[in-house]
Amino acid sequence: MNRDKSRRAAVAAGQVLVGGVNSPVRSFAAVGGEPLCLGRGQGAYVEDIDGNRYLDYVCSYGATLLGHAPAAVVECVAQVARDGLTFGAPTVRETQLAEKIQTALPAMQKLRFVNSGTEACMTALRLARAYTGRNKIIKCRGCYHGHADLLLVQAGSGALTHGVASSAGVPAAVVQDTLLVPYNDSAALAQVLAQHEGEVAALIIEPIVGNCGFIRPRDGYLAAVQELCSQHGALLIGDEVMTGFRVAWGGVQTLTGVIPDLTVLGKVIGGGLPLAALGGREDIMQMLAPCGPVYQAGTLSGNPLAVACGLKTLEILERTRPYAQLGALTQRLTRGATMLAQEYGVPLTADAEGGMFGLFFTPARVYDSGQAQASDQHLFRRFFHAMLARGVNFSPSPFEAGFISTAHQETDIDSTLQRFELFLQTLAETQ
Ligand SMILES: *Cc1c(COP(=O)(O)O)cnc(C)c1O
């Protein structure tokens, strides 16, 4: 597989872009080598600028659910673009998109659109602090909620990958009110809430973790978290930026019935353009400007293109409800990979929900970030490069989840498993 053009592009990018990328995990820092420079994508496949095709399990880190360049969405965006790119004024589709999201997530009584998950999480926490009059927030180790200062403490894939527990440039004073608990440990949460009685504004959580690999909540964990938060007067913020409209029509809250006070969405709701949202209980949301004293604004918030792209995407998802099919495919992949690994004596645990999945090279089911970090990262790097060389594009980090789209077919999964077996064979031969 010739990647000369990609290699030259990486050199040129490095001259002008920091690290040659605009988001750290893309740099391949966790796996070594140069990143692919992609030229186009169609359906389940992406193509690099050398013309090599790859089956894509990155899907823009979960943002694309209908495959690359879905014709109906692209056509809609092109049409809307002809009427103007951005106005800085209300448009009809913003309301339609909010209504559409509400039909799936009725707990989002009032919404606000922003441009990124980072902004949405940051604003949700500001609201929670204003609403409760409390300063402290709790997050789980390994969960990622964007790169706002107050959240850059043990923050998932990018941070874990680079071994930075908290970023430089974040004053201690800014994170002194950020408390950490392990994921999947309600006893630890109970203790922290009791220790800081009356001080905790909110707990923010990924209801299924996707930013530290794929980590499923234990049975009853999310319900226990909700109960503890309400006992202690802290708000529960469900960060469904990754899981929203990917694991189900709606999000994890529609699967578990654990309804957070505030919900954060992103990725899929923009259909591939920059769009995110926060929403939830009306009495909390009404504290946002212009109704209340909590400030938040954005020049391009709810811009016509991103809104049209998201609305068209959700309309298609509502009509086709592909989640059972997505779940069957990810299960086929994770079950198949687990069986093959067992056959070859390679420690692997894999899990999936709807259109997202994850695998760790470690023998036992992973429940928290410590266990994720204890997985075999060296083996992951070999796996990653072996699969890439055979035309399968996984995320370049052992701490990212994997994603499929409605364009992925059973034959794609089966050919992935065949190539995985080839990797296991070479592994056996070289040991
Ligand atoms: C991706 C992600 C974010 C950040 O969203 P951006 O749009 O990248 O700022 C926040 N929370 C979760 C759970 C995410 O997966």
Side-chain angles (χ1 to χ4, degrees), residues 115-119 121 144-147 206 211 239-242 267:
N115 300 300
S116 69
T118 292
E119 272 181 84
C121 290
Y144 179 66
H145 308 289
H147 60 89
E206 288 181 74
N211 283 284
D239 182 352
E240 300 229 40
V241 170
M242 186 178 282
K267 298 196 168 102

Side-chain angles (χ1 to χ4, degrees), residues 329-371:
L329 287 180
T330 53
Q331 294 283 340
R332 189 180 181 89
L333 180 65
T334 52
R335 292 219 179 104
T338 309
M339 267 160 53
L340 283 169
Q342 244 163 28
E343 224 175 276
Y344 284 81
V346 170
L348 181 86
T349 178
D351 197 4
E353 186 69 48
M356 69 189 270
F357 67 92
L359 43 86
F360 292 107
F361 288 100
T362 192
R365 176 59 64 88
V366 167
Y367 287 106
D368 60 39
S369 65
Q371 291 166 345

Side-chain angles (χ1 to χ4, degrees), residues 157-179:
S157 65
L160 283 182
T161 297
H162 297 277
V164 186
S166 52
S167 169
V170 177
V174 174
V175 289
Q176 77 180 14
D177 288 323
T178 305
L179 305 169

